[in-house]
Amino acid sequence: MADASAICRSHSFESDEEIDGIRKRLLTWYEANKRDLPWRSRKAQSLNEKAYAVWVSEVMLQQTRVAAVIDKYKIWMKKFPAVEDLAKASLDEVQELWSGMGYYSRCKKLHEAAQKVVNDLNGIIPTSCEELAKQLPGVGRYTAAAIASIAFNERVGIVDGNVIRVLSRLRRVGVAHNSKIAENHFWFCSNKLVDEECPGDFNQALMELGATVCTPKSPACSSCPVSSSCLALKQVHEQRKFASSKFSKTDNGSLPDIESSGCSLCLPPTEPWDSDKGVTNFPRRGKKTAVKTEEFISGVTSFRSNDIDYYLIVKRPSTGLLAGLWEFPTVPFLSSNGEKKIQLLGHLRKFLSEDELSEVEIRESKTVSHLFSHRRHIYHIHKIILSINHQTSQSLSKDLVHFKWVTEEELFRLAISAAVKKMFEASGDIVSPNVGSKTRKRKLNGTQQSLEKFFKSK
Ligand code: SF4
């Protein structure tokens, strides 16, 4: 936790009576109000099975909304009901099932960790928070604490975005929530608060409160079971009282400064309490990380055979951003390398023969921008239509591991990023996976150009 000498005592939970009260009220509220979610109602035959079910749900819920996870979780648990089933599946199968939830590195790590459990740990998931974080790739402090407390009843607190919001308001923590000092303090508070008998339920209750009552923009303080312990709400009430008092006429109703200038967890004097924001003064955001922009040229490359369109897709490298996912042929855009079309056709030669590229129609489409966590990718999309037939293309595309031809329906079943879906849309096609390619007819127009002509023109 933060240096005790440098912080106000009000930022911690000091009294046993208050801690007991918060535990009781929160657990009672949770029992009556918890949402019926598949990972909560799932029956497990053993603690190992329970741990696996909790683990999958926690990984899915990171950076993905509950509503988007529910159906995916049910399908996942049907296909991979035990850690052994997940371990023996191929990464392609696992990523295909994950498709649509983004942040594919989570799924890759989960698959890797399942293989470690089966191959190195006799199929037994570690039972303590410390061992879970130590042994399993991709399992950090949060996920380890969730599995240990919910599946194995270990008395360990939890800190995620919802918990940070609740704790920062309860204890009026005004320093940037992602600073080291704040992070340590939230873990300290959460470990102190967590219930001794029911740590799993308590942790879920705290997260549920943040998700459904103590929400980012419009917290429902009047329905909050722990409002009597909430210092942010207390500050709102004091502010109102002060504003309506006789002093308001002489100093504009502003509350006297109640933050301690020497405390490292109080609101900073440079960004004091804003009365219009009320309890949403907390948590305070840290500085945003600068977004790096990178440009690419992509070719939505297709041919038509028997009235069906086939698209060329390529597998990304197994490490780095979007590792192992499928995408349209894409190459970094280097303005020094000349015209975009030339660069793209040069890249396509890695996958297609000169024969296949001998007659192509190239249409430039709009530019697509996609924001990954701290990177913005700008894709200059081109639609490349090859004049080949199915037989020819199959004979030339034997490498199904690194690239292959797929129909629109197959494309949307594969592990592809949201950026690839945007590219497909930008290329002028129908996006919906429900619309079969056979039903679509497209008038091909544009200039027929050969690759030879392009290269000769340089
Ligand atoms: Fe959040 Fe309001 Fe409850 Fe405080 S009283 S914890 S701000 S919902």
Side-chain angles (χ1 to χ4, degrees):
M1 69 167 290
D3 176 5
S5 61
I7 66 165
C8 301
R9 290 180 67 184
S10 63
H11 296 305
S12 303
F13 297 94
E14 297 281 338
S15 125
D16 288 346
E17 197 184 335
E18 183 179 40
I19 291 174
D20 278 352
I22 290 174
R23 287 176 184 164
K24 281 194 188 105
R25 278 178 275 131
L26 199 51
L27 283 168
T28 307
W29 169 85
Y30 179 64
E31 200 43 47
N33 294 283
K34 66 183 170 193
R35 290 168 292 176
D36 182 17
L37 299 171
W39 44 92
R40 288 183 180 154
S41 52
R42 189 178 169 82
K43 299 270 178 285
Q45 302 296 320
S46 66
L47 288 183
N48 202 51
E49 263 188 41
K50 186 171 180 183
Y52 169 69
V54 172
W55 181 13
V56 171
S57 70
E58 289 299 336
V59 174
M60 285 188 170
L61 287 165
Q62 288 162 24
Q63 289 143 324
T64 308
R65 288 173 303 107
V66 168
V69 167
I70 292 174
D71 284 347
K72 197 61 92 173
Y73 180 82
K74 288 182 189 162
I75 297 168
W76 182 286
M77 294 308 281
K78 207 166 174 187
K79 181 141 191 195
F80 310 125
V83 68
E84 290 79 10
D85 304 305
L86 177 58
K88 68 180 178 222
S90 71
L91 181 59
D92 266 352
E93 275 179 276
V94 175
Q95 285 185 323
E96 276 170 33
L97 219 157
W98 192 271
S99 178
M101 289 204 295
Y103 297 94
Y104 282 83
S105 58
R106 292 177 293 166
C107 147
K108 192 163 178 276
K109 288 274 187 224
L110 178 58
H111 181 237
E112 207 179 310
Q115 291 183 326
K116 175 156 188 196
V117 168
V118 171
N119 298 334
D120 302 348
L121 307 173
N122 292 323
I124 307 297
I125 296 170
T127 57
S128 73
C129 181
E130 194 182 338
E131 284 302 306
L132 281 157
K134 200 160 107 189
Q135 302 266 11
L136 303 184
V139 172
R141 191 173 180 183
Y142 163 79
T143 312
I147 300 169
S149 62
I150 300 170
F152 300 117
N153 224 32
E154 181 178 340
R155 192 181 170 264
V156 59
I158 207 167
V159 173
D160 74 343
N162 286 320
V163 173
I164 286 173
R165 192 161 53 254
V166 174
L167 291 178
S168 68
R169 290 172 180 172
L170 283 177
R171 293 298 95 173
R172 245 186 35 213
V173 176
V175 67
H177 71 81
N178 55 351
S179 61
K180 199 72 202 158
I181 190 171
E183 190 191 324
N184 288 343
H185 189 69
F186 291 133
W187 277 103
F188 170 77
C189 287
S190 142
N191 279 323
K192 195 160 183 187
L193 265 190
V194 65
D195 190 76
E196 284 160 7
E197 304 292 317
C198 311
D201 278 355
F202 181 85
N203 284 337
Q204 291 186 85
L206 202 54
M207 292 191 282
E208 189 82 345
L209 187 74
T212 61
V213 176
C214 193
T215 56
K217 289 188 179 148
S218 41
C221 299
S222 55
S223 334
C224 176
V226 292
S227 59
S228 59
S229 298
C230 180
L231 297 184
L233 188 61
K234 189 174 170 202
Q235 190 159 352
V236 171
H237 290 154
E238 284 172 359
Q239 149 113 46
R240 284 193 195 134
K241 208 164 134 192
F242 185 79
S244 63
S245 75
K246 58 182 178 180
F247 300 110
S248 63
K249 293 192 174 63
T250 54
D251 74 359
N252 300 324
S254 61
L255 196 63
D257 185 10
I258 60 169
E259 305 297 332
S260 159
S261 58
C263 172
S264 17
L265 290 176
C266 280
L267 285 169
T270 47
E271 297 168 73
W273 170 267
D274 176 347
S275 52
D276 291 339
K277 288 187 178 164
V279 297
T280 64
N281 269 286
F282 308 96
R284 283 288 160 102
R285 305 207 172 283
K287 283 201 175 75
K288 280 192 178 167
T289 314
V291 173
K292 188 178 167 198
T293 299
E294 294 166 308
E295 290 187 65
F296 297 87
I297 313 165
S298 293
V300 179
T301 307
S302 66
F303 71 87
R304 177 169 282 205
S305 182
N306 295 330
D307 216 19
I308 300 175
D309 290 322
Y310 293 85
Y311 297 89
L312 177 65
I313 51 161
V314 177
K315 196 160 219 191
R316 288 183 61 84
S318 58
T319 54
L321 185 71
L322 307 173
L325 300 194
W326 294 95
E327 66 177 7
F328 297 117
T330 295
V331 64
F333 172 48
L334 302 171
S335 52
S336 55
N337 281 4
E339 200 185 331
K340 295 188 198 92
K341 288 176 190 171
I342 305 289
Q343 291 181 45
L344 184 57
L345 289 168
H347 181 60
L348 284 174
R349 281 181 143 168
K350 290 182 184 168
F351 317 105
L352 303 171
S353 69
E354 288 302 331
D355 273 353
E356 283 177 304
L357 286 168
S358 62
E359 212 177 324
V360 294
E361 175 196 336
I362 303 175
R363 283 189 268 163
E364 194 160 347
S365 191
K366 61 185 175 187
T367 293
V368 161
S369 167
H370 190 76
L371 185 64
F372 296 93
S373 47
H374 296 115
R375 279 193 237 188
R376 180 179 298 284
H377 281 188
I378 293 174
Y379 299 96
H380 301 279
I381 313 297
H382 293 71
K383 188 164 180 63
I384 315 269
I385 300 167
L386 305 180
S387 297
I388 54 177
N389 62 49
H390 200 196
Q391 289 299 325
T392 319
S393 70
Q394 281 197 330
S395 67
L396 294 170
S397 300
K398 287 179 182 154
D399 179 2
L400 297 176
V401 176
H402 300 103
F403 64 93
K404 59 185 175 182
W405 291 101
V406 293
T407 63
E408 179 183 335
E409 286 176 60
E410 287 165 342
L411 172 72
F412 279 86
R413 280 204 299 270
L414 288 174
I416 54 174
S417 69
V420 170
K421 290 174 189 167
K422 280 189 191 174
M423 286 184 218
F424 190 72
E425 186 175 16
S427 77
D429 279 288
I430 299 165
V431 188
S432 168
N434 302 322
V435 179
S437 298
K438 280 182 181 174
T439 62
R440 291 186 293 106
K441 295 231 171 145
R442 193 180 305 124
K443 189 166 179 251
L444 305 183
N445 52 29
T447 316
Q448 294 284 326
Q449 302 185 64
S450 77
L451 181 64
E452 296 308 318
K453 190 175 158 198
F454 263 107
F455 282 95
K456 271 179 199 157
S457 70
K458 272 299 286 175

